Amino acid sequence: MTNDYILHLEGVGKTFQTKNGKSIKAVQQVDLDVRENDFVCIVGPSGCGKSTLLRMVSGLEPITFGQVVYHGQEITRPRKEIGMVFQEYSLLPWRTVIDNVALGPEFAGISKKERETRAMNYLRLVGMEAFARAHPHELSGGMRQRVAIVRALANDPDLLLMDEPFGALDAHTRILLQKELLRIWEQHRKTVLFVTHGVDEAIYLADRIVVMSARPGRIIETILVEMDRPRERSHPRYGHLAEQILAILEKEAAQNFSKNGNILEEPF
Amino acid sequence: MALKTILTRIGTYLLVPLLFLLLWGLAASHLNNEVILPGVGQVTALLLRPTENLISMGSLAVNVAVSLARVLAGYLLAVALAVPLGVIMGYYGTVFRFLNGFLALFRPIPPLAWVPLVLAWFGVASLATLFDVQRGTAYLYLNNLKFSMIFIIFIGAFYPVLTSAIHGVNGVRRTLLDSARVLGASEGDIFRKILLPASFPAIVNGMRIGLGVAWMCLVSAEMLPGSLSGVGYLITHAYTLARTDIVIVGMVSIGVVGALLDLFFRVIEERKFAWTRLTR
Ligand SMILES: Nc1ncnc2c1ncn2[C@@H]1O[C@H](COP(=O)(O)OP(=O)(O)O)[C@@H](O)[C@H]1O
Ligand SMILES: [Mg+2]
């Protein structure tokens, strides 16, 4: 593996200006480097700015401080080399599954025949080819997220951003999709930046786990998982890592509590 | 379905209308004055012969057709303007703030209140004036479409369609737009492939309401000078001749055509937008 950084974040911060003139510091001073084919997980308490950080990397959210550099180029707007999967339901409900998956190639002006072939191949990758002509409302939550993932892949991105993509799924489906995601990642060698608030999920998936503080989100710790895949949840290191990360999060929450009274309260 | 349930169901639909007709018939024979209230049979007989010449104004069918053409002209103009404007106003907050205050000033004005101004502007000018047609059948058709009438109908239909388009676009979830953007959608793609289809159910709903309002503006539009045909004019003219039976025939045909137009949109909504009901 080369020492090539595909993604470089330097002093990245975000301050939201609300309508009534207040400003909300969502993300503060984030430095992060991601190498090609890395699987990096970001964990942190909810509301700490994880989605905001990911949206800045995707180019959807204007950056207030610092910069995000992708392959030497500063990110200012979305680009097709960077794909994203959202937690919320993001499929177009009036389109069939295959037309949803073919959306990226369609925007790129690829012919109908070719983009359908491509979409079908990706649907096959997650065992969803039988549902190509179904509409999203006919699918279960797990199937919808499978479609959302291959829709991002059908655009052939180098970097895949995932914002709690399995957050709304039941535990069994979530574990199933984690496995599938690893299989796809190993097969297609994408670089993945994956946001979750689940410590278990992060340890199961990541090469490297970045722990964020409560809002404004900063990186407080980076942990290398260093376990072979497929990982056994019963492995002693698994439990050890979970304890370590939970301790960091707990300490952070306690500090925040004494500072602000309540981490859920808006301190501004 | 068993025959009995079918009959019961038809009975439920027809019970109230039949009672109404019965009361009408009783009242008419009691009053025995066809200027105040003509009998059911008299009105039905006229309705059953829609191609018969009435009070030297042409047949009912022709007058309904003339009215429909006017409504459609004003209505299509309103839709063609309100849909793109509404989508743009719903999407770009700046455009909305820029225009909304202005448009809101005109919204409460009833279409009828425009009549004096509209007459001062357009007088009896019609599409025939616009295309400079002065004789022949084309003249007869085009001269029936006065600008003043089209304007009144346009005003009536414009706001419901505009409001629903703005509302529809505002309701499009941010995730849909964001996911399209990361997939490489251009601004044009966003409009054509996300905003329009996503707000289409709301727009069609507004188009249905707008058509209803446009149809209701008809009588006021057809009372304008220069009008010598149309159901609205038929009603007012029949009134001056004390032909209450024709007044009622006109009212019934306005009601029936309005209900049919509404049904048309309901069918579209039912067919095309199953996904809005089935998506949470
Ligand atoms: N568009 C916005 N305007 C104002 N505040 C925002 C906006 N988006 C997010 N925030 C605030 O920024 C903080 C971080 O949000 P988010 O990134 O969604 O957190 P997470 O994904 O970690 O749960 C929250 O307090 C949220 O209220
Ligand atoms: Mg989030």
Side-chain angles (χ1 to χ4, degrees):
Chain A
M1 203 182 282
T2 59
N3 212 10
D4 226 359
Y5 289 116
I6 173 172
L7 186 70
H8 174 73
L9 277 69
E10 199 173 303
V12 171
K14 177 78 194 185
T15 304
F16 285 109
Q17 232 58 53
T18 62
K19 283 203 182 88
N20 44 26
K22 290 193 274 189
S23 52
I24 295 177
K25 242 187 221 174
V27 176
Q28 199 176 35
Q29 201 58 45
V30 169
D31 300 309
L32 180 68
D33 284 310
V34 179
R35 249 182 286 125
E36 195 133 32
N37 305 335
D38 259 358
F39 200 125
V40 176
C41 274
I42 300 175
V43 290
S46 79
C48 78
K50 304 182 297 292
S51 296
T52 306
L53 182 65
L54 219 55
R55 290 170 56 82
M56 285 193 282
V57 174
S58 74
L60 285 170
E61 191 79 57
I63 301 165
T64 324
F65 306 107
Q67 59 176 357
V68 175
V69 180
Y70 171 81
H71 271 309
Q73 285 174 304
E74 194 176 341
I75 292 287
T76 51
R77 67 169 69 100
R79 45 191 303 160
K80 66 184 291 293
E81 299 90 334
I82 304 181
M84 187 153 173
V85 180
F86 300 84
Q87 169 176 2
E88 313 89 77
Y89 181 40
S90 68
L91 302 178
L92 304 182
W94 57 88
R95 283 185 172 229
T96 58
V97 163
I98 191 164
D99 285 347
N100 263 287
V101 176
L103 204 55
E106 184 177 330
F107 291 147
I110 289 168
S111 75
K112 189 173 169 67
K113 196 164 168 244
E114 195 185 331
R115 63 187 190 239
E116 291 211 335
T117 316
R118 195 193 290 187
M120 209 58 192
N121 285 337
Y122 278 101
L123 282 173
R124 219 166 274 134
L125 184 69
V126 287
M128 290 280 302
E129 65 272 28
F131 294 89
R133 301 288 163 194
H135 278 87
H137 62 75
E138 298 168 73
L139 308 182
S140 67
M143 289 162 125
R144 288 178 193 176
Q145 282 313 67
R146 280 191 183 91
V147 175
I149 291 171
V150 291
R151 180 176 69 174
L153 291 176
N155 223 17
D156 200 20
D158 299 326
L159 172 63
L160 193 57
L161 307 173
M162 307 184 83
D163 190 0
E164 305 197 33
F166 309 145
L169 304 180
D170 64 84
H172 174 71
T173 313
R174 187 183 313 139
I175 288 173
L176 221 65
L177 261 77
Q178 289 167 355
K179 272 196 188 137
E180 267 182 57
L181 176 63
L182 283 182
R183 176 173 61 79
I184 292 168
W185 170 70
E186 276 163 7
Q187 213 172 318
H188 287 249
R189 301 316 293 178
K190 304 278 178 197
T191 312
V192 180
L193 190 55
F194 188 108
V195 160
T196 173
H197 64 253
V199 172
D200 167 81
E201 184 164 72
I203 301 170
Y204 186 76
L205 294 173
D207 296 318
R208 184 154 51 107
I209 300 173
V210 172
V211 186
M212 277 176 80
S213 70
R215 208 193 61 191
R218 288 164 293 112
I219 294 181
I220 44 179
E221 191 94 42
T222 301
I223 290 157
L224 295 176
V225 177
E226 294 175 320
M227 287 169 71
D228 291 334
R229 292 186 180 91
R231 291 173 182 160
E232 294 296 331
R233 286 179 159 89
S234 56
H235 194 286
R237 180 160 169 79
Y238 208 104
H240 175 74
L241 281 172
E243 258 168 51
Q244 188 188 348
I245 296 167
L246 285 171
I248 297 166
L249 288 172
E250 228 163 85
K251 195 171 134 216
E252 168 63 21
Q255 268 176 10
N256 219 277
F257 190 84
S258 61
K259 207 166 68 195
N260 298 319
N262 182 346
I263 54 161
L264 294 174
E265 210 174 75
E266 308 284 349
F268 290 97
Chain B
M1 225 186 311
L3 187 65
K4 200 175 151 196
T5 46
I6 295 178
L7 287 179
T8 328
R9 183 163 293 185
I10 294 176
T12 334
Y13 282 125
L14 289 184
L15 189 62
V16 176
L18 285 176
L19 272 177
F20 176 78
L21 286 179
L22 187 69
L23 278 178
W24 174 6
L26 284 176
S29 65
H30 181 72
L31 287 168
N32 198 20
N33 180 340
E34 65 175 37
V35 175
I36 298 179
L37 192 62
V40 180
Q42 199 180 340
V43 172
T44 319
L46 284 175
L47 281 172
L48 288 177
R49 283 173 282 130
T51 48
E52 188 181 87
N53 191 3
L54 300 171
I55 48 175
S56 65
M57 267 194 59
S59 68
L60 181 65
V62 166
N63 281 292
V64 168
V66 167
S67 294
L68 256 179
R70 287 175 180 151
V71 167
L72 287 185
Y75 172 72
L76 291 179
L77 196 65
V79 169
L81 228 77
V83 169
L85 188 64
V87 171
I88 289 171
M89 281 175 74
Y91 186 55
Y92 296 113
T94 332
V95 180
F96 179 81
R97 284 185 291 277
F98 201 71
L99 288 177
N100 194 47
F102 174 75
L103 289 171
L105 278 179
F106 292 94
R107 191 191 308 263
I109 302 176
L112 198 56
W114 284 92
V115 165
L117 254 192
V118 161
L119 283 180
W121 290 344
F122 303 118
V124 293
S126 66
L127 287 188
T129 327
L130 179 71
F131 297 121
D132 199 24
V133 181
Q134 275 156 19
R135 55 183 58 83
T137 33
Y139 172 78
L140 284 180
Y141 287 120
L142 292 176
N143 195 43
N144 264 324
L145 300 170
K146 309 275 184 221
F147 287 137
S148 47
M149 295 173 181
I150 295 178
F151 187 89
I152 300 290
I153 291 165
F154 167 85
I155 287 280
F158 180 77
Y159 280 102
V161 181
L162 180 78
T163 310
S164 58
I166 294 176
H167 187 74
V169 170
N170 281 335
V172 178
R173 278 183 302 118
R174 185 174 79 160
T175 319
L176 294 191
L177 296 169
D178 283 348
S179 53
R181 285 199 189 99
V182 291
L183 288 171
S186 66
E187 207 69 350
D189 290 330
I190 294 279
F191 272 98
R192 279 182 297 119
K193 294 179 177 163
I194 314 293
L195 289 178
L196 264 183
S199 52
F200 212 48
I203 291 176
V204 168
N205 192 264
M207 282 170 63
R208 183 164 70 81
I209 298 168
L211 188 55
V213 178
W215 192 239
M216 278 198 247
C217 292
L218 180 71
V219 178
S220 36
E222 287 181 347
M223 281 163 69
L224 296 179
S227 171
L228 289 170
S229 57
V231 194
Y233 184 74
L234 182 69
I235 289 175
T236 42
H237 190 56
Y239 166 72
T240 60
L241 298 177
R243 286 294 304 271
T244 312
D245 53 340
I246 296 182
V247 171
I248 294 180
V249 164
M251 287 170 67
V252 170
S253 45
I254 289 181
V256 169
V257 173
L260 286 179
L261 294 174
D262 200 68
L263 183 71
F264 168 75
F265 273 106
R266 281 188 190 281
V267 170
I268 293 188
E269 283 176 347
E270 190 65 24
R271 288 257 170 90
K272 295 279 289 181
F273 306 133
W275 59 266
T276 46
R277 269 182 294 114
L278 299 166
T279 312
R280 26 168 198 127

